[in-house]
């Protein structure tokens, strides 16, 4: 690079073609060296982060930045009343749009009155919440990512992580109290919602999806419930053997492996394989809560435990943040 700059200064003074040629040769050499070293550096980063999906995709985004710009909401949005520029009005319209999206979609499909099926239980087992141990609660904050966004309670995960030895007893008491009385505190169900841009026209609300940020402490309670529920469902074989989502030791890779093995076995047996792929729009938002609670009951989740899930799904509030 010093040689390149030397030839540039010399050519600028002499204006001789031989000096300009020497400069261009040095410039091209430097440019090629920089490109090759960048490729080498990025390739090494990719190789080092193959086992860490989060770090891998951060590297992808840094190397190949999104050309569409950032995900912030523009100053002007389309609504039923036309173009709106007032920040508060934009937030209110986003809130109304997202909270009614599922109901609008449900109106366009056939009623699912028979979704509950029979009243027979799937198992003779009974699910009961067990008290959560101090050691379990103590371990949870250490697994939190300190760079995660903070909820409406303004308590960052790094504070819980740094002060776990002081607050673990109190958090253990609160979580166990919630499970024993069958109620999720309303403060743990208050979400800060941020609209995340997907694609298309940035002024169209349908091109955004909501990201809900809950208090960090609520995630600890959810983890405790998830662990006990997963153990119960596995113990009583209540999950389909071919379900890959939301199961330990399962992933999209196991689903693809099962699918490809089925095709291979059928091919070897001289049979054809037919597959139907369905992408459900707003799949989680459109789950009927009444049907879900009924199914949980048929799974053997009764009394206070069932009341906790009812409380978890009800009386949720949110606050929108668009700027």
């Amino acid at each position: 690079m010093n040689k390149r700059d030397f030839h540039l200064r010399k050519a600028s003074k002499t204006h001789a073609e031989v000096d300009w040629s020497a400069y261009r040769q040095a410039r091209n050499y430097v440019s090629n060296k920089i490109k090759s070293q960048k490729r080498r550096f990025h390739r090494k980063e990719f190789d080092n982060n193959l086992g860490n999906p989060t770090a891998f995709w951060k590297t992808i985004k840094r190397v190949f930045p999104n050309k569409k710009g950032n995900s912030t909401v523009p100053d002007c949005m389309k609504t039923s009343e036309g173009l709106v520029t007032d920040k508060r009005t934009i937030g209110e319209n986003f809130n109304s749009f997202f909270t009614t999206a599922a109901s609008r979609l449900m109106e366009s499909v056939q009623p699912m009155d028979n979704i509950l099926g029979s009243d027979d239980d799937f198992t003779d087992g009974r699910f009961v919440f067990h008290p959560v141990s101090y050691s379990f609660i103590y371990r949870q904050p250490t697994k939190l990512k300190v760079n995660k966004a903070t909820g409406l309670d303004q308590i960052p995960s790094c504070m819980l992580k740094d002060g776990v030895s002081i607050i673990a007893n109190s958090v253990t008491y609160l979580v166990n109290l919630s499970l024993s009385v069958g109620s999720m505190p309303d403060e743990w169900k208050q979400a800060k919602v941020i609209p995340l841009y997907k694609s298309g026209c940035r002024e169209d609300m349908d091109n955004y999806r909501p990201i809900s940020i809950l208090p960090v402490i609520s995630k600890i309670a959810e983890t405790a419930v998830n662990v006990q529920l997963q153990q119960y469902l596995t113990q009583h074989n209540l999950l389909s053997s071919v379900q890959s989502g939301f199961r330990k030791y399962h992933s999209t890779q196991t689903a693809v492996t099962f699918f490809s093995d089925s095709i291979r076995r059928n091919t070897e047996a001289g049979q054809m394989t037919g597959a139907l792929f369905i992408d459900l729009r707003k799949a989680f938002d459109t789950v009927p809560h009444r049907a879900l609670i009924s199914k949980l009951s048929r799974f053997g989740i009764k009394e206070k435990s069932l009341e906790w899930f009812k409380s978890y799904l009800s009386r949720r509030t949110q606050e929108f943040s668009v700027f």
Side-chain angles (χ1 to χ4, degrees):
M1 292 173 70
N2 289 333
K3 185 181 293 186
R4 176 201 61 188
D5 296 341
F6 167 77
H7 286 298
L8 176 61
R9 290 193 297 270
K10 185 178 180 181
S12 299
K13 290 180 180 179
T14 64
H15 299 288
E17 179 58 30
V18 63
D19 292 332
W20 281 116
S21 178
Y23 160 70
R24 286 192 292 267
Q25 184 178 0
R27 179 199 61 191
N28 294 342
Y29 177 82
V30 170
S31 298
N32 290 333
K33 275 292 184 181
I34 290 176
K35 290 178 182 178
S36 64
Q37 289 302 316
K38 278 187 175 181
R39 287 195 297 269
R40 181 181 177 184
F41 174 77
H42 292 149
R43 191 179 299 113
K44 185 177 180 180
E45 275 200 307
F46 289 138
D47 292 340
N48 292 339
N49 294 322
L50 284 177
N52 187 339
T54 301
F56 182 85
W57 284 107
K58 281 184 177 180
T59 305
I60 288 285
K61 291 179 180 179
R62 185 172 66 253
V63 178
F64 307 106
N66 184 6
K67 300 301 182 182
K68 296 178 181 178
N70 56 37
S71 60
T72 57
V73 176
D75 296 332
C76 180
M77 295 296 297
K78 294 179 181 177
T79 68
S80 58
E81 301 174 354
L83 293 176
V84 176
T85 57
D86 180 66
K87 296 180 180 180
R88 182 179 181 87
T89 305
I90 291 177
E92 291 174 349
N93 275 273
F94 260 118
N95 183 62
S96 176
F97 178 80
F98 285 130
T99 54
T100 59
S103 58
R104 293 197 308 270
L105 183 60
M106 292 294 287
E107 291 175 356
S108 64
V109 300
Q110 295 181 355
M112 295 183 290
D113 296 333
N114 60 343
I115 194 173
L116 300 180
S118 65
D119 294 330
D120 298 333
D121 289 345
F122 291 106
T123 177
D124 294 331
R126 287 294 180 269
F127 175 81
V128 177
F129 281 124
H130 300 292
V132 181
S133 66
Y134 169 87
S135 59
F136 177 87
I137 296 296
Y138 188 90
R139 291 193 303 269
Q140 298 314 304
T142 61
K143 302 176 182 179
L144 297 173
K145 297 179 180 180
V146 296
N147 59 344
K148 287 294 183 181
T150 303
L152 293 175
D153 61 350
Q154 297 298 312
I155 300 178
S157 56
C158 59
M159 182 180 294
L160 295 180
K161 194 170 185 176
D162 294 340
V164 61
S165 59
I166 300 174
I167 66 173
N169 271 322
S170 299
V171 176
T172 303
Y173 171 78
L174 291 174
V175 172
N176 284 328
L177 181 63
S178 170
L179 300 180
S180 63
V181 301
S183 177
M184 180 80 162
D186 290 342
E187 290 79 6
W188 294 0
K189 296 182 289 186
Q190 296 174 347
K192 178 170 67 174
V193 181
I194 299 175
L196 184 65
Y197 171 70
K198 296 184 296 183
S199 61
C201 177
R202 298 183 68 90
E203 287 76 27
D204 190 350
M205 292 186 180
D206 202 28
N207 293 326
Y208 292 79
R209 63 184 178 92
I211 301 297
S212 296
I213 304 173
L214 290 164
V216 180
I217 193 171
S218 70
K219 301 181 186 298
I220 297 177
E222 291 173 355
T223 301
V225 170
N226 180 58
V227 169
Q228 295 191 30
L229 182 61
Q230 289 281 3
Q231 290 175 347
Y232 173 81
L233 296 175
T234 302
Q235 178 185 352
H236 293 276
N237 298 317
L238 293 172
L239 297 178
S240 170
S241 59
V242 294
Q243 176 180 330
S244 290
F246 310 102
R247 294 182 67 190
K248 195 174 183 180
Y249 308 122
H250 291 71
S251 64
T252 53
Q253 185 175 355
T254 57
V256 172
T257 301
F258 174 81
F259 178 58
S260 58
D261 285 349
S262 299
I263 296 176
R264 190 178 299 109
R265 284 193 299 268
N266 293 338
T267 302
E268 293 173 351
Q271 299 174 338
M272 296 182 65
T273 301
L276 178 64
F277 297 90
I278 301 176
D279 183 11
L280 300 178
R281 184 181 180 186
K282 297 190 181 298
F284 287 98
D285 295 339
T286 52
V287 172
H289 288 180
R290 186 169 66 92
L292 178 59
I293 293 298
S294 176
K295 191 167 187 178
L296 288 174
S297 177
R298 292 162 63 191
F299 274 176
I301 302 171
K302 309 286 185 180
E303 300 172 348
K304 291 295 184 181
S305 299
L306 189 64
E307 290 299 319
W308 189 92
F309 284 102
K310 290 180 180 178
S311 173
Y312 179 82
L313 294 171
S314 62
R315 299 191 308 276
R316 287 188 167 269
T317 59
Q318 64 186 33
E319 178 179 306
F320 253 78
S321 176
V322 295
F323 293 96

